[in-house]
Amino acid sequence: MAQITGVAEDRLQSGQLDSHDLSRVAAAYDLPATFFETETGSEIDQLRLLATLRATPAAALRLRGKPGR
């Protein structure tokens, strides 16, 4: 999981991130496929969330437990 997230972070920072990368990260953490599109408003938000997931995989448990999931 951390490797997938790290790759997505690198691609985001280099401007090469696409929706497939985000879908792979979401799947790795058992989050909805559209999670990043619906929960983040900017690339900065995406980068913060990716860094949080990489550093603290248990954060996905809290994200999955949000109301409406």
Side-chain angles (χ1 to χ4, degrees), residues 7-68:
V7 168
E9 281 182 279
D10 291 344
R11 290 178 58 84
L12 178 62
Q13 290 175 345
S14 67
Q16 299 175 15
L17 186 74
D18 62 28
S19 61
H20 291 69
D21 296 313
L22 294 176
S23 294
R24 282 192 289 273
V25 173
Y29 289 94
D30 196 29
L31 296 168
T34 58
F35 181 81
F36 286 93
E37 289 89 13
T38 59
E39 296 294 325
T40 58
S42 69
E43 288 185 357
I44 297 295
D45 291 341
Q46 290 174 346
L47 189 57
R48 286 181 184 144
L49 184 53
L50 289 168
T52 298
L53 288 171
R54 184 175 44 79
T56 313
L61 294 173
R62 291 190 303 274
L63 294 171
R64 276 185 243 133
K66 288 177 86 174

